Amino acid sequence: MTITWLIEWVNDSWLGFLGLPGAFILAVIIAGLAIFGLVAVHAIVAVYVERKVAAFMQDRIGPMGQGPGLHAGKWGLLQTVADALKLLVKEDIIPAAADRKLFVLAPFILFLGAFIAFVALPFSESLVLADFNVGLFYILAVSSFGVIGLILAGWASNNKWSLYGAMRSAAQIISYEIPAAISLIAVILLVGSLNMQAITSAQSGTVWGILPNWFVFQNPFTFMAFFIYFIAGIAETNRTPFDIPEAESELVAGFHTEYSGMRWAFFFLSEYANMFIVCGVAVVVFLGGWQSPIPGLMTGRIWGLFWFMGKVVFLVLIMMWIRWTFPRLRVDQLMNVSWKVLLPLAFFNLFGAGIWSLWLD
Amino acid sequence: MATVTFWLIILLTVFSALIVVGSSQLIYSAVALLFTFVGVASLYIFLWADFIGVVQIVIYVGGILILVIFGIMLTNKITSVRISHTSVQRGAGAAAVVVLFILLVTMILKTPWLEIAAVEPDQTVASIGKMLMIDYLLPFEITSVLLLGALIGAAMLARRGR
């Protein structure tokens, strides 16, 4: 179900009187709404799960229902829905000293970076909006919109904490993009393609007859590359232990200190959308994408979607587990980890994967 | 439909480029430059050069534009939001623009353009890789040494300032 299929479907339905341009615009709107729905639902569920995970890890009970007629539902299931409604109706404050145009624009550029990456994610064998040649590279590229959104948000707020948060965030994301990309290149080298579906298809079958033939199990170098990518991915999403851009004890809330209401919600939405993207890329590249963990069992379109989402949710849960386990890194430690540990390891991996593909395969 | 898409891309590129040159505030120019780069990348993708299009975004949006914005933010007092730039020597500038415009139009009209069929190529990345790694390996390697030299030089200059 690509966008081309969607255009044809709209054109063949009773909406055919719109003609091809009309069908094209309608198909793009439908696809956009579907992605937005996924992002919003994922954020609402993930925030609830995150609060519960945090609570259980700290021996608390987290959000709970408060009796009949009161808010939040059973086990606090409606807590984030209530939060989202509150954010929708909250007063939208723009500080007098802020740069108005950029202040309004920044959250949207940030969200755009996360949003358009979904276009290339293969949710199942046939469900991918655009299955193009350079899919993986495209996802890595559009993440740079996010950095620009962050810097603009920090700068336009005209607040020292926002500016420091934005600078730290930009430095961090630019530093961690490099080990992430190089660890992905190790897999691209073995597949010989940047197409997301081709990378997924290269992982069918089994290794040694037991494990699924995913890249994380295929050889020692891709095994290590998975961990390098995942650590760098956590850093790119600005989550603890790499959350110095919004370090509460130092910077109030970092780049989104001055934001409130719906604009603030967009920062939150893009953080959770970015988590989904990072985990989605890790799943496609290292964990077999929509392929079943037991080869030949429970395969097909619907199962493919189930496996892909299941693996992504699993990685998102691991991200939450890490968040509530490790303390925050210092700025210098953060840069050390990226440039002196992850980057040399990623280069070693790339070299090893090259030798592996030459002589051992 | 292709024509509509093409003109939408052109509109985005040219309109944002006008803001880049016309805006009186440097930071707005930098933000408008983002949309110009996206428009140019879309043009590449529109011409089935998807790899070049994505490279355009990685290098210009992810690298150069971020450097430009950093530059604007760091060269001024962070508390003052208004940084403006003015245009000087308008007469000479206009003359240069007219000469350049005539030159470009003559070039566009006189070049025998190579027309290829509007068919999506099977692969774009692999042929670029073969070109870089086999046909043009020496220039490619020399460029990488040059960039390494620039990197070391920049680090040297930054250290001396301390």
Side-chain angles (χ1 to χ4, degrees):
Chain A
M1 276 186 255
T2 59
I3 190 85
T4 331
W5 177 87
L6 201 62
I7 294 169
E8 277 166 21
W9 182 78
V10 172
N11 204 22
D12 291 342
S13 70
W14 59 272
L15 287 162
F17 66 87
L18 291 170
L20 212 52
F24 173 75
I25 293 166
L26 205 63
V28 169
I29 292 173
I30 292 173
L33 285 179
I35 296 176
F36 188 78
L38 174 70
V39 170
V41 169
H42 171 255
I44 284 178
V45 175
V47 169
Y48 173 74
V49 172
E50 176 131 45
R51 293 183 65 175
K52 278 292 187 190
V53 168
F56 294 151
M57 290 190 75
Q58 296 168 346
D59 208 8
R60 295 183 284 120
I61 53 170
M64 292 298 274
Q66 299 181 350
L70 288 170
H71 63 86
K74 197 169 170 59
W75 304 309
L77 275 170
L78 295 175
Q79 180 66 51
T80 36
V81 179
D83 284 347
L85 289 176
K86 180 204 75 177
L87 286 172
L88 271 172
V89 296
K90 231 177 143 175
E91 187 191 350
D92 177 38
I93 300 167
I94 298 180
D99 188 325
R100 231 187 137 79
K101 286 178 198 155
L102 294 182
F103 190 83
V104 173
L105 185 70
F108 292 103
I109 293 186
L110 181 67
F111 185 68
L112 191 76
F115 186 70
I116 56 179
F118 278 86
V119 168
L121 270 191
F123 289 92
S124 83
E125 209 167 340
S126 49
L127 184 64
V128 50
L129 273 182
D131 182 26
F132 50 117
N133 277 327
V134 289
L136 183 57
F137 194 31
Y138 165 82
I139 292 183
L140 291 180
V142 296
S143 70
S144 47
F145 284 100
V147 186
I148 295 201
L150 283 184
I151 301 180
L152 287 182
W155 195 79
S157 298
N158 203 5
N159 172 318
K160 59 187 173 208
W161 294 304
S162 299
L163 190 70
Y164 274 119
M167 303 266 257
R168 284 183 179 187
S169 174
Q172 172 176 329
I173 295 178
I174 293 172
S175 306
Y176 279 87
E177 256 175 6
I178 300 165
I182 290 172
S183 60
L184 291 176
I185 290 176
V187 169
I188 295 167
L189 201 67
L190 295 171
V191 181
S193 172
L194 288 163
N195 183 303
M196 296 293 264
Q197 293 289 31
I199 294 171
T200 314
S201 307
Q203 304 177 57
S204 57
T206 54
V207 232
W208 312 314
I210 6 166
L211 290 169
N213 191 20
W214 299 346
F215 273 115
V216 67
F217 303 126
Q218 261 187 27
N219 74 52
F221 301 107
T222 47
F223 176 76
M224 232 152 76
F226 169 68
F227 291 96
I228 296 172
Y229 176 75
F230 197 61
I231 293 171
I234 295 173
E236 278 189 59
T237 51
N238 289 335
R239 286 176 64 84
T240 326
F242 302 100
D243 69 336
I244 59 154
E246 42 188 299
E248 289 86 353
S249 48
E250 303 163 28
L251 297 177
V252 187
F255 49 84
H256 55 67
T257 306
E258 296 285 357
Y259 282 87
S260 67
M262 214 42 218
R263 293 189 212 291
W264 180 84
F266 266 95
F267 282 101
F268 227 68
L269 269 182
S270 28
E271 177 178 332
Y272 281 88
N274 270 326
M275 281 168 73
F276 194 98
I277 292 291
V278 164
C279 294
V281 169
V283 164
V284 169
V285 175
F286 296 103
L287 300 180
W290 37 262
Q291 312 229 24
S292 158
I294 305 155
L297 192 76
M298 298 198 277
T299 52
R301 289 181 182 189
I302 306 296
W303 280 113
L305 183 62
F306 169 78
W307 288 123
F308 178 81
M309 295 300 275
K311 289 172 192 173
V312 170
V313 168
F314 175 71
L315 287 187
V316 169
L317 278 174
I318 289 186
M319 273 192 168
M320 291 176 184
W321 177 22
I322 290 172
R323 172 170 178 180
W324 297 103
T325 308
F326 293 107
R328 180 186 307 137
L329 291 169
R330 264 192 345 247
V331 182
D332 57 322
Q333 290 169 333
L334 187 92
M335 289 296 147
N336 267 345
V337 170
S338 173
W339 294 102
K340 293 186 182 166
V341 180
L342 290 182
L343 191 62
L345 266 179
F347 272 122
F348 171 74
N349 254 330
L350 180 59
F351 189 64
I355 290 176
W356 186 281
S357 68
L358 267 183
W359 286 319
L360 291 170
D361 254 2
Chain B
M1 199 166 73
T3 328
V4 176
T5 322
F6 174 76
W7 284 106
L8 281 178
I9 296 171
I10 292 298
L11 201 69
L12 172 78
T13 317
V14 173
F15 183 69
S16 57
L18 280 178
I19 298 179
V20 173
V21 288
S23 170
S24 60
Q25 285 181 43
L26 214 49
I27 192 86
Y28 289 171
S29 298
V31 176
L33 200 57
L34 167 71
F35 295 98
T36 316
F37 287 149
V38 171
V40 174
S42 325
L43 262 186
Y44 283 130
I45 293 168
F46 186 74
L47 297 168
W48 282 304
D50 48 6
F51 185 75
I52 304 290
V54 176
V55 165
Q56 164 88 10
I57 290 181
V58 168
I59 293 175
Y60 283 92
V61 175
I64 291 175
L65 189 59
I66 289 178
L67 271 182
V68 166
I69 294 179
F70 256 100
I72 296 171
M73 278 164 51
L74 291 176
T75 46
N76 210 284
K77 275 194 296 181
I78 56 172
T79 44
S80 69
V81 180
R82 306 260 168 258
I83 308 168
S84 57
H85 62 87
T86 49
S87 38
V88 287
Q89 291 193 340
R90 293 187 182 202
V97 165
V98 168
V99 169
L100 189 66
F101 183 76
I102 292 170
L103 266 178
L104 280 176
V105 169
T106 332
M107 188 273 285
I108 289 168
L109 291 177
K110 286 206 168 176
T111 309
W113 294 101
L114 180 71
E115 279 187 32
I116 53 167
V119 184
E120 188 180 353
D122 292 340
Q123 28 92 342
T124 46
V125 189
S127 43
I128 292 172
K130 277 181 192 130
M131 287 276 224
L132 278 183
M133 283 294 149
I134 296 166
D135 298 347
Y136 298 104
L137 184 60
L138 188 65
F140 179 71
E141 288 295 329
I142 289 174
T143 316
S144 65
V145 172
L146 183 73
L147 287 176
L148 183 68
L151 197 71
I152 296 171
M156 269 293 290
L157 286 176
R159 269 190 104 76
R160 199 175 291 159
R162 291 265 164 92

